[in-house]
Amino acid sequence: MESVNQRLLDSIIVVRDDLMDSIREECGLTGSSKITSLALNKRTVSKEKLCGWIESMCTILNSNAVPLLKSTVAKADRCEVLESEKIKDQTSIIQLQSELIKKKKVPTATLR
């Protein structure tokens, strides 16, 4: 079963790809890396088109990408805390095991 975050990411990618395809087609570009201010600043690209693209990108960022990134950061922060706690717990276990081994090495005659 796909997670909510995965579905959100998939939808962001689809919308982004559609938008990038539109920009590349309008500007006659072959790749996304070619989308530059120089490429966008052509007489053939109308102000209305540019405004539409900017509005679409802002919507993608504000409505989808930013909430997804916030969720990801929160989960990554929680993972760091859990990893730190795990390391502390493992260190305690190793220390206790070491103490147990030392106690087992004490001759049984001294325990009587």
Side-chain angles (χ1 to χ4, degrees):
M1 181 177 196
E2 215 176 23
S3 72
V4 172
N5 285 343
Q6 185 61 52
R7 287 193 306 269
L8 185 57
L9 176 60
D10 291 345
S11 67
I12 292 169
I13 290 170
V14 167
V15 173
R16 184 226 34 210
D17 289 349
D18 288 347
L19 184 59
M20 298 300 256
D21 289 346
S22 173
I23 294 170
R24 284 193 302 269
E25 184 179 318
E26 184 74 23
C27 296
L29 303 172
T30 57
S32 296
S33 63
K34 308 260 191 231
I35 298 175
T36 63
S37 59
L38 183 62
L40 294 172
N41 193 19
K42 291 183 175 180
R43 290 189 184 270
T44 57
V45 179
S46 69
K47 182 178 178 180
E48 291 77 22
K49 271 278 193 207
L50 285 171
C51 290
W53 292 335
I54 291 170
E55 180 182 12
S56 295
M57 280 297 186
C58 289
T59 300
I60 291 170
L61 287 171
N62 291 331
S63 300
N64 299 301
V66 171
L68 182 59
L69 286 171
K70 283 182 179 179
S71 170
T72 302
V73 168
K75 288 176 183 173
D77 289 345
R78 181 66 183 139
C79 284
E80 285 181 18
V81 168
L82 290 172
E83 185 176 10
S84 176
E85 289 174 359
K86 180 181 177 184
I87 291 169
K88 287 178 186 174
D89 291 345
Q90 287 175 331
T91 302
S92 294
I93 289 169
I94 291 169
Q95 288 172 343
L96 289 170
Q97 287 174 334
S98 179
E99 288 176 26
L100 183 62
I101 290 169
K102 286 178 186 175
K103 287 183 180 183
K104 283 186 176 183
K105 288 183 179 180
V106 174
T108 54
T110 59
L111 296 175
R112 293 180 189 194

